[in-house]
Amino acid sequence: GRTMLQFNVLGNFGIDVQWDEATRSVIAEGNGVKVVLTIDSKVAVVNGQEVTLDVAPTIANGRTVVPVGFITGNFGINPTFTYNADGTIADILFTK
Protein backbone atom coordinates (compact mmCIF):
# COMPACT_ATOMS: atom_id res chain seq x y z
CA GLY A 1 0.00 0.00 0.00
CA ARG A 2 3.02 2.32 -0.20
CA THR A 3 4.92 3.64 -3.20
CA MET A 4 8.56 2.55 -3.11
CA LEU A 5 11.61 4.17 -4.69
CA GLN A 6 14.75 2.44 -5.90
CA PHE A 7 17.32 3.57 -3.32
CA ASN A 8 20.20 4.37 -5.67
CA VAL A 9 18.07 7.01 -7.45
CA LEU A 10 19.00 9.34 -4.58
CA GLY A 11 22.46 9.65 -6.15
CA ASN A 12 20.84 11.74 -8.90
CA PHE A 13 20.13 14.39 -6.25
CA GLY A 14 23.69 14.56 -4.93
CA ILE A 15 22.96 12.20 -2.05
CA ASP A 16 25.75 9.70 -1.28
CA VAL A 17 24.30 6.17 -1.17
CA GLN A 18 26.01 3.09 0.23
CA TRP A 19 25.21 -0.57 0.92
CA ASP A 20 26.47 -2.29 4.07
CA GLU A 21 26.43 -6.02 3.37
CA ALA A 22 27.25 -6.98 6.97
CA THR A 23 24.13 -5.31 8.37
CA ARG A 24 21.98 -5.45 5.19
CA SER A 25 21.56 -1.70 5.50
CA VAL A 26 21.49 1.21 3.09
CA ILE A 27 22.97 4.55 4.07
CA ALA A 28 22.09 7.87 2.45
CA GLU A 29 23.99 11.01 3.37
CA GLY A 30 23.74 14.54 2.06
CA ASN A 31 22.48 18.05 2.84
CA GLY A 32 23.40 17.55 6.51
CA VAL A 33 21.18 14.48 6.80
CA LYS A 34 22.19 10.86 7.34
CA VAL A 35 19.58 8.11 6.99
CA VAL A 36 20.25 4.44 7.72
CA LEU A 37 17.63 1.86 6.72
CA THR A 38 17.91 -1.88 7.31
CA ILE A 39 16.26 -4.30 4.92
CA ASP A 40 12.98 -5.70 6.31
CA SER A 41 13.10 -3.42 9.39
CA LYS A 42 10.54 -0.71 10.11
CA VAL A 43 13.08 1.17 12.24
CA ALA A 44 15.23 3.76 10.48
CA VAL A 45 17.89 6.03 11.97
CA VAL A 46 17.85 9.69 10.93
CA ASN A 47 20.78 11.77 12.22
CA GLY A 48 21.20 9.31 15.09
CA GLN A 49 17.51 9.23 16.08
CA GLU A 50 15.33 6.14 15.60
CA VAL A 51 12.20 6.64 13.51
CA THR A 52 9.44 4.08 12.88
CA LEU A 53 8.39 3.54 9.26
CA ASP A 54 4.98 2.46 7.96
CA VAL A 55 6.65 -0.07 5.68
CA ALA A 56 10.12 -1.60 5.75
CA PRO A 57 12.68 -1.25 2.96
CA THR A 58 13.01 -4.43 0.97
CA ILE A 59 14.78 -5.96 -1.99
CA ALA A 60 12.65 -6.41 -5.12
CA ASN A 61 14.09 -7.86 -8.32
CA GLY A 62 17.60 -7.45 -6.92
CA ARG A 63 17.10 -3.75 -6.14
CA THR A 64 16.74 -2.07 -2.76
CA VAL A 65 13.51 -0.10 -2.54
CA VAL A 66 12.49 2.35 0.19
CA PRO A 67 9.27 4.29 0.95
CA VAL A 68 9.08 7.37 -1.30
CA GLY A 69 7.47 9.70 1.23
CA PHE A 70 9.93 8.93 4.02
CA ILE A 71 13.11 9.18 1.99
CA THR A 72 12.13 12.23 -0.08
CA GLY A 73 10.83 14.06 2.99
CA ASN A 74 14.13 13.66 4.81
CA PHE A 75 16.18 15.00 1.90
CA GLY A 76 13.94 17.86 0.75
CA ILE A 77 13.03 16.17 -2.53
CA ASN A 78 9.51 16.94 -3.74
CA PRO A 79 7.57 14.16 -5.44
CA THR A 80 4.70 15.17 -7.73
CA PHE A 81 2.33 12.31 -8.53
CA THR A 82 0.11 11.93 -11.59
CA TYR A 83 -2.63 9.31 -11.52
CA ASN A 84 -4.39 6.97 -13.91
CA ALA A 85 -8.20 7.07 -14.18
CA ASP A 86 -8.43 4.12 -11.76
CA GLY A 87 -6.49 6.03 -9.10
CA THR A 88 -3.21 4.16 -9.47
CA ILE A 89 0.00 6.16 -9.83
CA ALA A 90 0.99 6.81 -13.44
CA ASP A 91 4.18 8.84 -12.93
CA ILE A 92 6.22 10.55 -10.26
CA LEU A 93 8.27 13.67 -10.99
CA PHE A 94 11.00 14.40 -8.43
CA THR A 95 12.30 17.94 -7.97
CA LYS A 96 14.62 19.49 -5.46
Side-chain angles (χ1 to χ4, degrees), residues 11 24 75 80 89-90 92:
R24 293 181 40 95
F75 287 104
T80 302
I89 295 172
I92 308 172

Side-chain angles (χ1 to χ4, degrees), residues 52-92:
T52 302
L53 304 170
D54 290 342
V55 62
T58 192
I59 297 176
N61 299 320
R63 305 285 182 182
T64 300
V65 292
V66 297
V68 167
F70 173 78
I71 204 71
T72 58
N74 277 288
F75 287 104
I77 301 167
N78 302 307
T80 302
F81 297 87
T82 57
Y83 297 91
N84 295 313
D86 64 1
T88 58
I89 295 172
D91 286 305
I92 308 172

